Amino acid sequence: MWRAGRVLSWRLPGEGAARLCFGIPPKPSSSSQSNSSPRPKAEKLRRRREREEAILSSQHSTAEDKAVKWSEKQKIVYTTPTPAGTKKDTSSLFPSSYSPEYVESSWYQWWEKEGFFRPEQHRLSHSVDQTFSLCIPPPNVTGTLHLGHALTVAVEDVLVRRRRMQGYRVLWLPGCDHAGIATQTVVERRLLKEGGKHRQDFTRQEFLREVWKWKNEKGEEIYQQLRALGASLDWSRACFTMDPGFSRAVTEAFVRLCDSGLIYRSEALVNWSCALESAISDIEVDSKELSGQTMLSVPGYENKVEFGTMLTFAYPIEGHDGEVAVSTTRPETMLGDVAVAVHPDDPRYQAVHGKQCRHPFTDRLLPIIADSMVDMELGTGAVKVTPAHDHTDFLLSQRHSLPRLTVIGGDGTMTPSCGQWLQGVKRFDARQLVVDALVEKKLFRGKKDHAMTLPVCSRSGDIIEPLLKKQWFLRCDEMAKKAVEDRQLEIIPHYYTKTWKNWLSNISDWCISRQLWWGHQIPAYRVELPNSADKQEEHWVWGQSEDEARQRAAVRYGVKPEDITLTQDPDVLDTWFSSGLFPFAMLGWPEQTTDLQRFYPNSILETGSDLIFFWVARMVMLGTELTGQLPFKQVLLHSLVRDKHGRKMSKSLGNVIDPLDVIHGVSLERLQEKVKEGNLDPREQLVAMEAKDFPTGIPQCGTDALRFALCSHKMQGDLSISQVLSCRHFCNKMWQALRFTLGVLGANTTPVATLEEVQPRNHSMERWICSRLYSTVVQCEQAFEAYELHTVTSALYSFWVHSLCDVYMCWSSGRMGGPCSVLYHCVSMSLALLSPFMPFITEELWQRLQPRGPGALMRSFSVTSPSCQAHWHFPEEERDFLLVQEVIRVARSLRSQCRMTKEKPASKSFNSSKITLH
């Protein structure tokens, strides 16, 4: 199906169909295609409107929301003088309650200074010599992180901390991406706001100095956010995609790919942002659903512009009394029409096949062609053909050898070919002028509402214009074929594998050039030869430097180097090209560095499922082509973070949450200020203001609670702040459990028995808790290996709360005196298992517990190794005690229903110590 004005079924050189660019790739169905047809546009818009109306009418309030009650907790501050990087003093008085502010102070600076995050700290004393390496998906230096980044950080940090505790030589590399379009746009807006200057008011070098100022400010802010999230990254190896070493790798990659014939220069249609005056990638295009006539604000226009309508006008048939009526959503492009197309089987147009129409404004003769691509049921069944401004029309021009006439320039104004009455007029102003002229010539046949999807530049808010431009392209078919055929790459969850293969099997060439100043300037040079007769013919060479390019040109064209004039292409490479080199360029490639030899290929790549094509596929293709190896052995994908209303977190919806606001807490007023600071239309701003989880702001939850919550939901991304708050309560449960443990152990600092020496007494309760711990360890180990982190968190929560606290500690209260080895090892091992998820509170509690531990003491939980005794498995006790746990659960539930006071001890309403197992 095709028509003039369609906007979503594009397939660009090097890009996939735009339908695959947004949201989570669907699970494969039973059919041969991995992605079924999308819902009709009107239906999608209706559902979105229903969600918005529910939010605005407060129907979204759930029992969960009403049940969440929060009273401001006492904030306890760690006041002991602790110079940055020195170990925190845990010999001080143990606070009576958990406070994130107290717990999270000082630890990270100590970890970092001690080098616990560097692979050089690897210790062979408790493990075989193995490596584990990965790189962080480099965040853009355009602002602060949001909860989507926090999910990535939490999952990756769990993986690296666990491997580090197991004794692996671990490298987790931090970095930032220069984000060409996004960063340049932000800096341009700042310069305009602060000084009223545009980019063109600066030289290229002057403007780039302003961008570097922004990068140095924002890049450090992002790194501080990562530290606040507890990310155990090796900061000594931090990498930025515009660093000199990385830039050399980008140049090397471009030159090698050109030499091998994989990069070429050609003229083709691209996504063009007139506001940026640059081509952009599909991932930088947002889809705006319109149900009908809609007035929208467009950059550069004082008044709103009408969209969501279809206009019909007639082309008179040359030498005939009849006419052919065509419909379009973009009447301004009719100046670029070169033909009218109908379906060959459409009986309405059988008589006009091969005839011509006369263009009313340019007097050109337009052939009436027949092609099966035309949808007879759409509009009048006849469509205008504008190859220079429509992707499908471009393909049609190739099939029928039609000319391609550009009528809209890169700045969004009409070109001289349109005639003096339109030359220099902005495209959407020209729209109304064209309609008025058609009315005057009595060729206008009507207008009606039309549901459509409008492509919008996510960086500038501009409406995307398909334009015919000479660009650099990367051939992807052979590289993609290798990626599909390579069975060594494992994608997790496995249901993404079919989607991956289907997309790569239908990939097009990739447009890699961008018309920007910020980025890696393309190392290609236009060659001017002496006495060249044809000044229009282009000659290009490339090289590591201008001198190398000059020598190449001299050899290629048989002239002296000094007789050649070279001009470097002012364009820069697409950000995704340089980020596609990240796994090996960050390790020093193309030099054969020690890091490259030791840590490449990476062990795993973990990232959001929305990047499977735009980043993951490109890393696989470029890595395999340039290094001869897959850049990583496994790809672990998590879904997009969504708010509790099921909406994807997006700046365009105003529902993104800064993880620091969850960690430290934030007032409702500040949340509303952040919404107002965004560029939202009034309705979206109103929805965003109403959709917040907490009507009084977000309480302080702490880093550990946020991380634990993010890893606890099957990586589905459906997160609400109330769930994080529940994890904060769990932190307090852990805090109180350790206070109890230290009370049981008493003031006697005699070390407890080692794990090997511990033999649970014949008492069934001790045998049961030891067996429960063993079963939990086994379950966690299996889930870790399968990357089912939600299973690990569920098992640890269940053991800590329902087994250790609710049963064993209740039973042990008042029964034990002096050191208790079983209690010690149950708590210590549970903390070790929780440490990758909750590094701050587990370090704090373990440091207070370990003086009672056996043998030599480890410096930090970051480098310890949990283990469990096989002889602690007592399945009979576990099975028999299930009934006891159920009785306890029912008793506690009844106590809660009867509103028993907190002062009444649990042991008086239900005394578990009276239970004896037989």
Side-chain angles (χ1 to χ4, degrees):
M1 183 182 81
W2 66 280
R3 60 178 172 79
R6 81 198 120 323
V7 293
L8 195 58
S9 59
W10 306 344
R11 186 178 295 279
L12 309 187
E15 309 289 353
R19 298 185 197 279
L20 297 178
C21 302
F22 310 101
I24 306 172
K27 294 183 181 181
S29 63
S30 57
S31 66
S32 60
Q33 296 297 322
S34 63
N35 54 321
S36 58
S37 300
R39 293 195 309 269
K41 299 170 187 174
E43 174 66 10
K44 291 173 66 178
L45 182 62
R46 181 186 67 80
R47 294 193 180 190
R48 176 181 173 180
R49 289 289 184 180
E50 286 180 352
R51 287 196 298 267
E52 291 177 351
E53 292 298 335
I55 293 172
L56 292 173
S57 63
S58 299
Q59 293 176 9
H60 62 279
S61 296
T62 64
E64 177 193 16
D65 296 328
K66 296 175 182 177
V68 173
K69 295 181 180 180
W70 173 259
S71 57
E72 192 65 31
K73 306 299 182 184
Q74 178 186 5
K75 289 189 177 181
I76 306 172
V77 181
Y78 178 74
T79 58
T80 303
T82 307
T86 59
K87 187 176 180 181
K88 188 175 181 181
D89 180 14
T90 54
S91 63
S92 58
L93 183 66
F94 199 173
S96 60
S97 62
Y98 167 73
S99 173
E101 202 167 5
Y102 179 95
V103 169
E104 294 169 15
S105 65
S106 301
W107 286 123
Y108 195 93
Q109 294 84 348
W110 178 59
W111 293 331
E112 188 176 345
K113 185 177 180 180
E114 290 294 312
F116 293 145
F117 305 155
R118 303 191 64 196
E120 288 77 9
Q121 287 289 324
H122 174 68
R123 290 154 39 99
L124 296 179
S125 59
H126 60 278
S127 180
V128 296
D129 186 11
Q130 294 190 56
T131 61
F132 184 78
S133 61
L134 73 160
C135 63
I136 192 172
N140 296 343
V141 288
T142 52
T144 57
L145 305 181
H146 54 69
L147 280 185
H149 299 104
L151 173 59
T152 300
V153 170
V155 172
E156 292 184 9
D157 197 39
V158 167
L159 300 181
V160 299
R161 284 181 179 272
R162 175 175 178 263
R163 289 303 186 194
R164 196 179 289 119
M165 293 174 73
Q166 290 178 320
Y168 282 61
R169 181 182 285 108
V170 174
L171 176 61
W172 185 24
L173 262 169
C176 274
D177 192 278
H178 66 278
I181 290 176
T183 303
Q184 179 165 310
T185 300
V186 169
V187 174
E188 286 192 71
R189 286 176 179 171
R190 188 181 71 168
L191 293 174
L192 184 62
K193 181 179 180 180
E194 294 179 354
K197 292 186 177 182
H198 297 272
R199 169 167 55 98
Q200 292 76 10
D201 296 325
F202 300 83
T203 66
R204 183 167 185 157
Q205 293 305 315
E206 289 172 342
F207 179 77
L208 290 179
R209 281 196 290 270
E210 294 295 325
V211 181
W212 275 105
K213 289 180 184 177
W214 171 271
K215 181 269 170 187
N216 292 333
E217 172 189 334
K218 287 299 179 180
E220 186 57 34
E221 185 176 340
I222 289 172
Y223 285 168
Q224 291 306 318
Q225 281 186 295
L226 290 172
R227 287 182 170 94
L229 286 166
S232 56
L233 294 148
D234 182 0
W235 294 106
S236 68
R237 289 174 166 88
C239 178
F240 178 53
T241 53
M242 289 289 287
D243 286 341
F246 202 101
S247 295
R248 285 193 296 272
V250 172
T251 300
E252 175 75 18
F254 184 89
V255 171
R256 286 194 190 185
L257 293 169
C258 282
D259 288 343
S260 63
L262 290 174
I263 288 181
Y264 64 95
R265 186 171 174 83
S266 179
E267 185 176 60
L269 273 182
V270 296
N271 280 339
W272 188 268
S273 169
C274 296
L276 299 172
E277 294 193 49
S278 174
I280 66 173
S281 68
D282 281 357
I283 201 165
E284 289 151 338
V285 178
D286 290 337
S287 292
K288 193 172 188 68
E289 303 285 346
L290 305 179
S291 59
Q293 182 182 31
T294 308
M295 304 300 292
L296 298 175
S297 297
V298 178
Y301 292 81
E302 292 184 6
N303 300 320
K304 291 187 175 182
V305 180
E306 180 185 83
F307 298 94
T309 57
M310 180 172 282
L311 296 90
T312 302
F313 67 92
Y315 272 125
I317 300 176
E318 183 73 4
H320 193 280
D321 292 336
E323 65 180 30
V324 176
V326 298
S327 298
T328 179
T329 60
R330 307 172 66 210
E332 68 277 9
T333 64
M334 65 93 64
L335 276 300
D337 288 356
V338 297
V340 173
V342 297
H343 196 283
D345 299 332
D346 194 331
R348 294 171 293 180
Y349 301 109
Q350 294 286 342
V352 299
H353 290 181
K355 296 186 180 298
Q356 295 178 314
C357 298
R358 178 73 65 176
H359 199 290
F361 303 129
T362 66
D363 212 35
R364 291 194 308 273
L365 287 174
L366 313 182
I368 301 175
I369 62 175
D371 197 287
S372 57
M373 293 173 66
V374 178
D375 182 1
M376 290 187 288
E377 304 301 321
L378 183 65
T380 64
V383 294
K384 58 194 285 299
V385 182
T386 320
H389 295 281
D390 186 281
H391 293 278
T392 306
D393 291 0
F394 181 82
L395 298 177
L396 196 61
S397 72
Q398 293 178 317
R399 294 171 61 164
H400 294 270
S401 301
L402 299 173
R404 300 155 189 165
L405 181 61
T406 298
V407 294
I408 300 176
D411 62 353
T413 62
M414 308 303 287
T415 64
S417 63
C418 299
Q420 292 186 351
W421 68 295
L422 286 180
Q423 180 180 349
V425 177
K426 291 190 288 188
R427 54 183 170 151
F428 296 130
D429 291 338
R431 173 175 293 184
Q432 189 59 48
L433 293 177
V434 169
V435 172
D436 292 342
L438 288 169
V439 172
E440 184 178 346
K441 288 182 176 289
K442 299 182 180 180
L443 296 173
F444 185 71
R445 297 294 180 263
K447 179 176 74 171
K448 63 180 181 179
D449 282 6
H450 179 69
M452 62 183 295
T453 304
L454 200 63
V456 179
C457 175
S458 63
R459 308 303 181 185
S460 65
D462 193 19
I463 307 302
I464 295 300
E465 186 69 43
L467 286 186
L468 197 60
K469 293 286 183 179
K470 288 185 177 180
Q471 303 285 302
W472 293 94
F473 293 90
L474 176 63
R475 303 182 197 276
C476 295
D477 51 355
E478 287 301 318
M479 291 191 295
K481 185 179 179 180
K482 293 178 185 177
V484 170
E485 293 176 349
D486 197 323
R487 298 186 178 182
Q488 296 181 3
L489 180 65
E490 181 183 14
I491 299 178
I492 306 168
H494 294 130
Y495 58 73
Y496 283 109
T497 302
K498 185 176 181 180
T499 306
W500 163 268
K501 290 182 177 180
N502 286 344
W503 189 84
L504 286 174
S505 298
N506 296 282
I507 196 170
S508 301
D509 290 354
W510 169 18
C511 175
I512 59 174
S513 46
R514 300 289 178 263
Q515 291 63 51
L516 305 173
W517 283 357
W518 173 243
H520 296 103
Q521 191 169 352
I522 295 176
Y525 303 80
R526 185 166 182 174
V527 182
E528 292 184 30
L529 301 173
N531 304 319
S532 177
D534 188 359
K535 298 296 182 181
Q536 297 300 317
E537 184 180 3
E538 290 188 352
H539 302 285
W540 290 87
V541 293
W542 43 85
Q544 298 283 351
S545 64
E546 184 174 335
D547 288 341
E548 181 183 319
R550 187 178 302 279
Q551 293 299 323
R552 284 172 174 249
V555 173
R556 177 178 297 181
Y557 299 109
V559 297
K560 296 179 180 179
E562 58 269 21
D563 293 337
I564 295 174
T565 301
L566 296 182
T567 304
Q568 186 173 0
D569 192 333
D571 292 352
V572 300
L573 288 165
D574 181 11
T575 296
W576 295 106
F577 183 87
S578 54
S579 62
L581 311 177
F582 204 76
F584 48 97
M586 67 177 185
L587 297 172
W589 183 90
E591 302 298 327
Q592 290 300 308
T593 63
T594 301
D595 277 358
L596 186 66
Q597 294 172 6
R598 178 172 291 174
F599 299 111
Y600 187 81
N602 290 177
S603 304
I604 192 172
L605 174 83
E606 196 284 330
T607 190
S609 58
D610 56 326
L611 295 181
I612 185 173
F613 305 128
F614 296 104
W615 190 43
V616 180
R618 287 166 180 175
M619 283 189 288
V620 170
M621 290 190 295
L622 290 172
T624 304
E625 181 66 31
L626 294 170
T627 72
Q629 301 181 79
L630 284 170
F632 27 74
K633 302 164 187 174
Q634 293 180 311
V635 178
L636 178 61
L637 300 172
H638 65 254
S639 298
L640 304 182
V641 173
R642 299 179 181 275
D643 62 18
K644 68 174 184 178
H645 311 290
R647 304 179 307 158
K648 182 181 76 172
M649 285 197 174
S650 166
K651 291 180 180 178
S652 63
L653 294 178
N655 64 342
V656 293
I657 298 177
D658 186 336
L660 296 186
D661 287 342
V662 181
I663 293 171
H664 302 304
V666 64
S667 67
L668 176 64
E669 291 72 23
R670 180 57 189 142
L671 287 174
Q672 293 175 337
E673 287 175 8
K674 289 187 175 186
V675 171
K676 293 176 181 178
E677 290 168 2
N679 187 26
L680 301 176
D681 68 34
R683 177 182 173 83
E684 288 175 339
Q685 187 177 107
L686 181 61
V687 173
M689 299 275 277
E690 289 293 328
K692 297 301 180 186
D693 277 11
F694 284 85
T696 57
I698 298 176
Q700 182 188 50
C701 296
T703 300
D704 291 316
L706 174 59
R707 290 167 55 113
F708 198 77
L710 286 167
C711 294
S712 296
H713 289 85
K714 294 187 179 181
M715 302 176 77
Q716 294 299 311
D718 51 338
L719 180 76
S720 70
I721 300 301
S722 59
Q723 295 164 338
V724 186
L725 190 57
S726 297
C727 294
R728 189 206 190 283
H729 296 324
F730 176 50
C731 289
N732 190 60
K733 188 84 170 179
M734 294 169 59
W735 190 266
Q736 300 304 331
L738 194 82
R739 282 171 54 82
F740 171 85
T741 301
L742 293 178
V744 170
L745 295 177
N748 188 347
T749 58
T750 303
V752 300
T754 65
L755 196 61
E756 292 76 12
E757 297 170 341
V758 172
Q759 292 292 336
R761 295 177 297 183
N762 289 328
H763 199 291
S764 296
M765 186 66 77
E766 281 200 350
R767 290 166 59 85
W768 171 78
I769 194 61
C770 289
S771 191
R772 282 291 299 120
L773 176 61
Y774 171 81
S775 299
T776 301
V777 171
V778 171
Q779 185 179 5
C780 289
E781 289 298 316
Q782 293 173 346
F784 262 128
E785 293 303 319
Y787 300 115
E788 295 176 353
L789 301 188
H790 64 284
T791 300
V792 182
T793 56
S794 176
L796 292 174
Y797 180 91
S798 178
F799 174 78
W800 190 284
V801 174
H802 302 305
S803 300
L804 186 61
C805 294
D806 287 356
V807 179
Y808 184 69
M809 287 186 176
C810 181
W811 171 82
S812 65
S813 178
R815 296 174 62 92
M816 300 180 186
C820 173
S821 297
V822 169
L823 177 61
Y824 173 90
H825 287 296
C826 284
V827 173
S828 178
M829 198 171 301
S830 299
L831 290 174
L833 291 168
L834 282 164
S835 180
F837 299 93
M838 312 172 87
F840 292 103
I841 188 172
T842 52
E843 184 76 74
E844 177 85 25
L845 298 181
W846 186 71
Q847 290 287 349
R848 293 180 178 275
L849 181 66
Q850 68 156 339
R852 274 61 174 255
L857 302 179
M858 304 296 292
R859 288 182 295 166
S860 169
F861 237 161
S862 301
V863 289
T864 193
S865 177
S867 60
C868 188
Q869 293 297 94
H871 64 264
W872 276 19
H873 190 206
F874 305 110
E876 296 82 4
E877 276 76 1
E878 284 199 66
R879 183 180 60 250
D880 293 342
F881 209 80
L882 288 175
L883 176 60
V884 176
Q885 284 188 289
E886 179 62 17
V887 172
I888 293 174
R889 186 193 66 78
V890 172
R892 290 183 181 274
S893 176
L894 291 173
R895 184 184 67 176
S896 176
Q897 294 176 18
C898 294
R899 301 179 182 274
M900 294 186 176
T901 62
K902 292 183 178 180
E903 290 77 12
K904 189 173 183 179
S907 59
K908 293 186 178 180
S909 59
F910 180 79
N911 192 342
S912 60
S913 65
K914 300 296 184 183
I915 293 177
T916 302
L917 296 182
H918 300 284

